[in-house]
Amino acid sequence: MRATVIHGERDVRLEEAPEPQLIADTDAVVRVVAACVCGSDLWPYRGVTPTTEPHRIGHEFVGIVEQVGAAVSTVSPGEFVIAPFYFCDNTCVNCANGVSTSCLNGGWWGAVDRNGNFVDGAQGDRVRVPLADGTLVATPEIPTDDLIPSLLTLADVMGTGHHAAISAGVTAGSTVAVVGDGAVGLCGVLAAKRLGASRIVAMSRNDVRAAIAREFGATDIVAERGDEGVARLKEMFDGIGPDFVLECVGTKESMDQAIRSARPGGMVGYVGVPNGGPELPIRRLFNTNVGVNGGVAPVRGYIEELLPEVLSGAINPGLVFDLEVPLTEIAEAYAAMDERRATKVLVRP
Amino acid sequence: MRATVIHGERDVRLEEAPEPQLIADTDAVVRVVAACVCGSDLWPYRGVTPTTEPHRIGHEFVGIVEQVGAAVSTVSPGEFVIAPFYFCDNTCVNCANGVSTSCLNGGWWGAVDRNGNFVDGAQGDRVRVPLADGTLVATPEIPTDDLIPSLLTLADVMGTGHHAAISAGVTAGSTVAVVGDGAVGLCGVLAAKRLGASRIVAMSRNDVRAAIAREFGATDIVAERGDEGVARLKEMFDGIGPDFVLECVGTKESMDQAIRSARPGGMVGYVGVPNGGPELPIRRLFNTNVGVNGGVAPVRGYIEELLPEVLSGAINPGLVFDLEVPLTEIAEAYAAMDERRATKVLVRP
């Protein structure tokens, strides 16, 4: 089969790889129907985090189950499944606490699992899925093709935007600003809307993304950034800022802006992968009673809640995909994201 | 009248000061019945934060109203009142949001207010109270003397411990560890108990304080600190740690211990005044989904909730006072706290 391998800065290649096999009886093999490129894939792609040796890449996919181990009971060959951006047993104490990203038996796509066995990356033809019962969620029936993009967002970006809003504690009638107009930030707008926020500001200076934000429920678009962005938000909300700020980027600047934008006593919900910091300014947080909550999003636990709304069309997070390419053009998928020609690229094997 | 002035490291003096006068018609003058020394007073006392010029000190007091300005309507001369460790209008948007420490018109004892007028410190005979209607809470009747210590804790330490628990989000049936066995930490134990925590660990290696912690509701005492303290807490709670950790110290070590002790997805509620840092380790927080919430405690807003329980004897936070001295011995009050001969010192003019 084919699989995407990152070799170094701006060097991703589609290569031949061994067909995945069932190893444990809790494994499944899934044929990938759609995968995508994540904003966090751009850190190694841009060389911000170094690639010391070539490795498989990609962590978001939906597909069709082809094989299951003897102990797998919740999914069957032929079913369409959504895989979160990590695998987990969904039963350990951390999973039970809603933090399946800290699963005691879980792990990551494109890496070696706790038993020393390699786990495939998602940007390829097939994936061996450890702990298939815990990891995979099957749809009631094979979805129509138009639903694939939105279903794929449940693997990461929609669940991650939702986690930002949940971590911040967004409530009905509250005010929210979203820092970041990438796919996660846009999904954060949609998540805040679902939770009943009365006013949602998307920070964006990109007309295409701002239009999606509006479609997702943004009531206001603010183009200013940094000090000017903070000042604009303060001005819009009683001079003090919005109740909640969703940080969906992960840079020092974006986190700083988020913390300074929230009103006293407000909360920052963050999901942007911290990219070399920053450490959080405790004295500012202390003086203003602004809290910070979030982290790597336990999206597995959100799939059951969000899936019916995707299937019914109540939400359409798949709008974040504005480019689709075949797997053979995976390098172009990365380049388009890197050069901001695309917000989010869907890849079909 | 007499007032305490800090001149520098380990140099506090009781000096003569002008009698306070009503300046604004929203002012009151209160005769101090009891004041105390705060752990945060020890930072300048120890020279950790430098004292560049002599200034009044003390921010916790209860007393009897002597005079009120023409616009004051909620308190009257002769009433017994509790003053939080700051003053506030209790009506601005931040106060309405429950963050009266960020009151748009508020300020601090022993400093200059927004109108350029000096506000007295609490460790003296009398205090001019700006914004008396918002700041002061009168008791239904003059309390008996045995209630004075617990009432005085509502000015700061009990409300601050409560804020740690509220900020962490302590819920009924949850598990809590408290870092810090000073007056605030002990009150944090009591607050967690009030909120229904099922298991509460006090981190202490001081028998007297551990005994108070037990009386306040601690189910376990852990003497270990740092790495050993973290490991002990993990071991006690399913190998992952307690749901909530209350950080009630403010040092780099205590915050680090708190963050590393909480289970994945847990929350640190912190109220220790950050003493020169630390900045928070965003990558660890991100990976574990441990959140951090809290800050300078808006205790004014908690007085109405806690006061009836103090008056009925349902809670007795005044147990944190283990030394009482007359105001003439204010230097001894500081020394006893500094040398850890006392947990909390009550001072009577």
Side-chain angles (χ1 to χ4, degrees), chain A residues 19 43 45 68 98 205 214 224 256 261 277 303 338 346:
Chain A
E19 283 292 336
W43 299 134
Y45 182 78
V68 296
R205 48 182 62 180
R214 287 220 181 258
E224 292 89 339
D256 176 69
S261 297
I303 295 177
D338 176 40
L346 190 143

Side-chain angles (χ1 to χ4, degrees), chain B residues 7 13 16 32 44 99 116 153 177 206 212 224 236 305:
Chain B
H7 285 258
R13 307 177 198 169
E16 277 302 307
V32 176
V99 200
T153 68
N206 175 306
I212 298 174
E224 291 90 338
M236 291 172 74
E305 177 180 352

Side-chain angles (χ1 to χ4, degrees), chain A residues 28-246:
Chain A
V29 171
V30 172
R31 175 173 62 78
V32 175
V33 168
C36 50
V37 180
C38 182
S40 67
D41 291 335
L42 295 182
W43 299 134
Y45 182 78
R46 289 171 172 164
V48 177
T49 54
T51 298
T52 52
E53 55 185 40
H55 61 84
R56 302 272 193 93
I57 191 166
H59 55 254
E60 298 154 281
F61 67 102
V62 293
I64 299 289
V65 178
E66 290 195 333
Q67 305 173 54
V68 296
V72 173
S73 63
T74 65
V75 296
S76 309
E79 285 189 313
F80 184 94
V81 289
I82 300 157
F85 65 84
Y86 55 91
F87 58 88
C88 60
D89 63 20
N90 212 28
T91 58
C92 79
V93 62
N94 285 330
C95 287
N97 281 330
V99 201
S100 51
T101 39
S102 293
C103 176
L104 298 176
N105 300 302
W108 310 96
W109 308 115
V112 171
D113 70 16
R114 285 161 204 259
N115 300 315
N117 297 311
F118 179 77
V119 183
D120 304 278
Q123 294 158 2
D125 283 316
R126 283 180 188 76
V127 174
R128 179 179 73 88
V129 177
L131 304 172
D133 274 345
T135 305
L136 300 172
V137 179
T139 54
E141 51 196 66
I142 304 291
T144 53
D145 208 54
D146 58 309
L147 286 172
I148 298 293
S150 285
L151 291 168
L152 182 55
T153 66
L154 301 183
D156 189 341
V157 292
M158 183 60 209
T160 296
H162 181 66
H163 188 58
I166 291 287
S167 298
V170 171
T171 50
S174 63
T175 58
V176 178
V178 181
V179 178
D181 64 356
V184 171
L186 294 171
C187 288
V189 170
L190 181 54
K193 177 69 176 175
R194 274 187 78 252
L195 293 167
S198 61
R199 198 166 170 195
I200 304 168
V201 182
M203 313 292 285
S204 179
R205 48 182 62 180
N206 175 306
D207 290 345
V208 174
R209 297 178 183 202
I212 298 174
R214 287 220 181 258
E215 181 141 358
F216 281 176
T219 52
D220 302 84
I221 307 291
V222 164
E224 292 89 339
R225 289 182 187 168
D227 290 346
E228 291 178 355
V230 173
R232 183 81 186 90
L233 283 175
K234 297 276 179 209
E235 177 195 320
M236 292 172 73
F237 296 99
D238 296 328
I240 59 171
D243 300 324
F244 304 111
V245 181
L246 311 188

Side-chain angles (χ1 to χ4, degrees), chain A residues 163 278 280 282 286 289 292 294 296, chain B residues 163 278 280 282 286 289 292 294 296:
Chain A
H163 188 58
L280 300 181
I282 183 67
F286 180 84
N289 273 282
V292 176
V296 54
Chain B
H163 187 59
L280 300 181
I282 183 67
F286 181 84
N289 273 282
V292 175
V296 54

